[in-house]
Amino acid sequence: MNAKLGNRLFDGLNYLLLSLCVLLCLAPFLHIVAVSLSSNGPIMSGAVTLFPVDLNFEAYNRVFSDLTMLRSLGLTVGLTVGFTVLCMVMTICAAYPLTKTELKGRKIAMYLIVFTMFFSGGIIPEYILIKQLHLVNSLWSLVLPLLVNPFYLIILITFFNSIPKSLEESAELDGCSHFGTLVRIILPLSMPAVATLSLFYAVNRWNGFMDTLFYITDTNLYPLQLKLYQLIMNSMMTDQMQMEGAQIIQVLPESLKAASIVFATVPILIVYPWLQRYFVSGIMLGSVKG
């Protein structure tokens, strides 16, 4: 009885601590949602905490009233999906050969990959390179420089190395080529790593802002983050002009910023449940017997 009681107390304490951690993680997002749904008076007085005060949807009306917003959303979704697919293809094609100890120049390649994690040319040389390649105002300027992340590549190499070599040897005995082994053996066992890195790539591209600010000046090619930035800046200038003219401000910049954050965050949050089933361990249990 004492052992069961101790286990119950331990489980209860764990649930309590985990619940507190979840609340701490959700509190900032709930505050942003509350600000986006509150009217100007409570926001200016600081009365908004985790729940909306004096419900107001004017900030979302301002966000959705811009017809180009949906176009930027569709462009960003397509860019994120294409970027993620290309990045994973390149990362997998680079990681698998680097797991082969018999590959000539493997150590040199690894040194060069690690070197790029600590040293880079900087913003100005990168911009000059993109401009000389005539990629300014092209979506390729948002894809090619970030096509392979060295840190994610090393993670995938480590995961591939953890797969028993006996599986690859068995595939070779059955007549599989290296490509066949990769597609039929390695990738199915690596779905947790592939799904996780795909999510990392997708989130990085979805939240990318600085490169879009540098390389994209055509309003028809504005991704969502840059479009929201333009919307907020225009709102701040309009509010300043209204204040100088002693007019009533309909939407505070704080409320518009909060609505923009929610608008840009919700789509990428929808992806998490679809990939959650891959974030598990032990998928390789039982893959090698005997």
Side-chain angles (χ1 to χ4, degrees):
M1 293 295 297
N2 292 333
K4 292 183 178 180
L5 180 61
N7 290 334
R8 291 178 180 178
L9 291 175
F10 181 76
D11 292 339
L13 182 61
N14 281 337
Y15 287 135
L16 178 61
L17 292 177
L18 290 175
S19 300
L20 291 176
C21 291
V22 170
L23 291 177
L24 290 176
C25 293
L26 287 178
F29 185 73
L30 292 177
H31 175 71
I32 292 296
V33 174
V35 170
S36 68
L37 294 173
S38 299
S39 58
N40 296 341
I43 295 176
M44 296 180 66
S45 63
V48 181
T49 53
L50 299 180
F51 301 98
V53 179
D54 192 6
L55 199 63
N56 184 8
F57 295 94
E58 187 60 32
Y60 289 98
N61 290 334
R62 180 76 69 87
V63 171
F64 286 101
S65 63
D66 192 346
L67 297 179
T68 60
M69 187 66 69
L70 294 179
R71 182 179 63 186
S72 296
L73 176 61
L75 176 67
T76 305
V77 171
L79 176 63
T80 302
V81 172
F83 173 81
T84 304
V85 171
L86 287 176
C87 286
M88 287 310 304
V89 169
M90 295 298 296
T91 304
I92 292 171
C93 291
Y96 183 64
L98 291 174
T99 60
K100 306 299 181 182
T101 55
E102 65 273 14
L103 178 66
K104 295 182 179 179
R106 174 177 172 270
K107 291 185 178 180
I108 297 177
M110 290 299 300
Y111 285 138
L112 293 176
I113 292 171
V114 174
F115 180 84
T116 61
M117 295 177 59
F118 300 99
F119 301 96
S120 64
I123 297 176
I124 295 178
E126 185 175 345
Y127 178 81
I128 294 174
L129 176 63
I130 295 296
K131 187 174 182 180
Q132 290 181 347
L133 293 175
H134 304 288
L135 295 178
V136 176
N137 279 329
S138 172
L139 295 181
W140 287 109
S141 64
L142 309 179
V143 175
L144 294 180
L146 305 174
L147 204 54
V148 177
N149 186 297
F151 181 66
Y152 299 163
L153 176 61
I154 293 176
I155 291 177
L156 195 58
I157 291 173
T158 305
F159 195 92
F160 284 171
N161 282 327
S162 66
I163 297 177
K165 299 300 181 182
S166 57
L167 291 176
E168 297 185 51
E169 295 173 357
S170 300
E172 292 177 1
L173 291 176
D174 290 338
C176 260
S177 62
H178 287 298
F179 182 78
T181 303
L182 174 63
V183 173
R184 298 179 182 180
I185 304 297
I186 303 301
L187 288 183
L189 294 175
S190 304
M191 286 308 299
V194 171
T196 302
L197 296 183
S198 298
L199 184 61
F200 289 165
Y201 274 122
V203 171
N204 288 340
R205 182 61 275 162
W206 183 272
N207 294 330
F209 171 71
M210 293 304 298
D211 53 351
T212 61
L213 186 63
F214 293 152
Y215 305 139
I216 304 297
T217 58
D218 186 358
T219 55
N220 294 324
L221 296 177
Y222 274 8
L224 183 60
Q225 303 296 337
L226 192 56
K227 186 64 181 178
L228 294 176
Y229 170 77
Q230 182 191 42
L231 178 66
I232 294 174
M233 295 302 296
N234 292 340
S235 174
M236 294 177 65
M237 293 178 61
T238 302
D239 290 340
Q240 186 177 2
M241 294 175 62
Q242 289 178 342
M243 291 178 63
E244 292 176 355
Q247 298 181 9
I248 299 176
I249 302 176
Q250 295 181 352
V251 182
L252 288 176
E254 289 78 7
S255 179
L256 187 59
K257 290 178 184 178
S260 301
I261 292 172
V262 174
F263 181 78
T265 304
V266 169
I268 198 66
L269 286 179
I270 298 176
V271 180
Y272 279 87
W274 296 93
L275 297 178
Q276 182 65 32
R277 64 193 182 101
Y278 291 111
F279 297 161
V280 293
S281 59
I283 192 173
M284 291 183 56
L285 292 178
S287 62
V288 179
K289 296 184 180 296

